[in-house]
Amino acid sequence: MKKMASSEGKAIMGRNIKRLLKQHGLTAAKLAGILGVSTATISDWSNGKTYPRIDKIEAMADYFAVSKSELVEDPQTVKPEVASDEPVLMAAHWGLDISGLPDDERHRVIDRAKAYVEGLIADYEDRHAD
């Protein structure tokens, strides 16, 4: 899979969020409440300024009942035969394509990456607690 530029990935995600909000008749404020973030954060995501954390992408995908790839990829280029969107999500975040790995190895890599990132976030939050 081609590694997308960070700004391109943010723009694609933003367009997808705007499209899903419109399709579901949902306001940015309502989505912010559902996800536990500020309306400004939703605005930043929708305008391609920032990129959501993995847990927020997963929460949006669950809420909108779409695959994570439908949030992070250009809908014109999403291949319907993709069996799992986890490699797509990994590629969007870190420029990695692990789709060629066997399922068990792919899941092991994803689980370790998530645990590592969650540890970094927890460490950051601990160091910057009020």
Side-chain angles (χ1 to χ4, degrees), residues 113-130:
K114 283 181 181 179
Y116 177 73
V117 171
E118 288 169 356
L120 291 175
I121 291 167
D123 182 57
Y124 174 84
E125 290 172 345
D126 289 345
R127 287 185 285 120
H128 294 90
D130 293 336

Side-chain angles (χ1 to χ4, degrees), residues 9-24 45-46 60 64 66-76 78:
K10 290 175 190 173
I12 290 169
M13 172 69 84
R15 287 191 299 270
N16 289 338
I17 291 171
K18 285 179 181 178
R19 175 180 48 80
L20 289 166
L21 286 171
K22 186 176 181 179
Q23 284 177 353
H24 291 262
W45 296 344
S46 297
M60 280 189 284
F64 290 124
V66 298
S67 68
K68 292 177 287 259
S69 63
E70 289 179 70
L71 284 168
V72 301
E73 284 195 328
D74 182 342
Q76 304 300 321
V78 174

